[in-house]
Amino acid sequence: MTETARMIGATRAAGSATPSGRRAGGNAIDRGRKRLFVPFVGPAFLFYTILFVVPSLYAVWISFNEWSGGDDMEFVGFKNYVRLFSDDLFVQSFVNTLLLLFVVGIAIFVIAFGLTLVLRDMVGRKVARSVIFFPHLVNAMIFGVLAGFIFNPGGLVNKLLGGLGVTEPPAWLAHENLFPLIMVMMTWITTGYFTTILMAGVDRIPPYYYEDCALAGANAWQRLRYVILPLTWDVFATCAVLWTISSVKIFEIIWVFGGSTGQGMPPTQTWTVAVYTYVTAFSGQSIPAYGAATASAVLSLAVISILVVLLRRATKRDAVEF
């Protein structure tokens, strides 16, 4: 009896050791993937570290120094960051960046969702999708130059308004009107891009969901709230992150709008953090302040990273399978 119990115990031990050993080592496919991980991912990770991580860390170091580019760096700690918050021009540039992020972003997604609902059942929606996507393919500088032509006092817009009887049209390119005009242009340029992405997410929803909505008598708002939004929430969250990141980098159209006023440099009322950073470092009108410019860039990177993390947490939902 004792020998039998010993054999049963040995058999159980051997049986329990086999699955754990299989889990530890994995099957042949898992082991092959692990062996290929370093050869395939290693070079990309190395290039990413050299081209992005190391320069980013060096930029952080520069932001703690005063440096004009031609002399030695002078370590000043957080002095550059303190100067930024006491600089009214930077504060205004930062506020303009937030206006582009939130006001233009809300306008873009409201219009994009409206276009998605309209174009979903429209005949020739593929052609319409290509038309509304086209402005995103054109460089923003071209739209800046175009706006300078059509909104100048003798431009197309004022001539059309004159034909309608408007004798005193607004001064579109005046300093106080320039930034709102830039916001409108950014909305027009970018809406088609996000509409195309949202439409691609809507197109993957099975048609029988809409048939059920029609049988239940749901209106357009109810379809949007209970069908389209839940089933495209991951697409919407991705678009929100993309816009959050790209809004901080808006530069070309603002710079070209400044050229349209004849000054060569955009008025300070229209500056964003990207423009402020460029002018501080490369304007050519004063001694370069690479430390302050880099501090501005690092600060904007930190703020946008925090916003992206918060946005991802706020839009986190359980995946809906269909």
Side-chain angles (χ1 to χ4, degrees):
M1 190 71 179
T2 305
E3 184 66 23
T4 303
R6 188 181 297 111
M7 292 176 62
I8 293 174
T11 303
R12 289 179 177 177
S16 61
T18 302
S20 62
R22 186 179 297 114
R23 287 195 298 269
N27 55 37
I29 297 178
D30 293 335
R31 291 194 297 271
R33 289 175 177 174
K34 291 179 180 179
R35 287 195 298 267
L36 293 175
F37 182 81
V38 174
F40 277 91
V41 179
F45 179 76
L46 179 62
F47 277 106
Y48 183 81
T49 302
I50 295 175
L51 297 178
F52 292 97
V53 177
V54 174
S56 299
L57 295 176
Y58 187 63
V60 174
W61 167 251
I62 294 176
S63 68
F64 293 115
N65 294 268
E66 282 189 0
W67 186 39
S68 62
D71 54 357
D72 296 332
M73 294 185 185
E74 179 184 354
F75 183 79
V76 294
F78 288 94
K79 186 177 180 180
N80 288 326
Y81 292 94
V82 175
R83 287 178 179 175
L84 290 178
F85 290 104
S86 61
D87 187 353
D88 294 336
L89 186 54
F90 174 78
V91 174
Q92 182 179 4
S93 302
F94 188 77
V95 171
N96 288 343
T97 303
L98 294 181
L99 288 175
L100 289 173
L101 170 60
F102 292 106
V103 177
V104 176
I106 292 173
I108 287 173
F109 286 105
V110 170
I111 298 174
F113 269 116
L115 290 174
T116 300
L117 295 178
V118 172
L119 297 177
R120 186 179 63 84
D121 297 324
M122 191 183 79
V123 178
R125 59 177 180 175
K126 292 183 178 180
V127 177
R129 184 183 304 184
S130 301
V131 172
I132 63 176
F133 184 76
F134 178 75
H136 185 75
L137 299 177
V138 182
N139 193 289
M141 296 180 65
I142 297 178
F143 287 104
V145 175
L146 178 63
F149 281 108
I150 65 177
F151 287 105
N152 66 64
L156 177 63
V157 173
N158 286 352
K159 288 184 178 180
L160 292 176
L161 292 177
L164 297 175
V166 179
T167 57
E168 296 183 1
W172 304 105
L173 299 180
H175 289 182
E176 62 273 12
N177 297 329
L178 202 53
F179 190 73
L181 185 60
I182 292 174
M183 296 174 68
V184 172
M185 292 293 293
M186 285 303 307
T187 303
W188 177 49
I189 294 171
T190 315
T191 298
Y193 173 72
F194 290 106
T195 302
T196 304
I197 298 178
L198 292 176
M199 287 185 66
V202 171
D203 287 345
R204 68 177 185 173
I205 300 176
Y208 56 80
Y209 280 94
Y210 301 113
E211 297 173 0
D212 292 341
C213 289
L215 293 175
N219 55 34
W221 165 249
Q222 291 171 331
R223 289 198 304 269
L224 174 65
R225 180 180 179 183
Y226 297 108
V227 177
I228 297 177
L229 275 179
L231 297 182
T232 60
W233 188 258
D234 56 338
V235 179
F236 171 78
T238 302
C239 290
V241 171
L242 290 175
W243 169 248
T244 302
I245 296 173
S246 61
S247 63
V248 184
K249 301 184 294 183
I250 296 175
F251 174 83
E252 299 94 338
I253 189 170
I254 296 176
W255 193 266
V256 174
F257 260 92
S260 66
T261 62
Q263 298 180 358
M265 183 181 295
T268 56
Q269 294 91 333
T270 65
W271 284 17
T272 60
V273 174
V275 177
Y276 177 90
T277 302
Y278 177 82
V279 172
T280 304
F282 306 110
S283 66
Q285 299 182 2
S286 60
I287 299 176
Y290 293 118
T294 308
S296 172
V298 171
L299 183 61
S300 62
L301 175 62
V303 171
I304 207 64
S305 300
I306 294 173
L307 289 176
V308 168
V309 171
L310 294 177
L311 184 62
R312 293 297 295 174
R313 288 183 176 273
T315 57
K316 185 177 181 180
R317 298 288 189 278
D318 294 333
V320 179
E321 297 182 0
F322 53 90

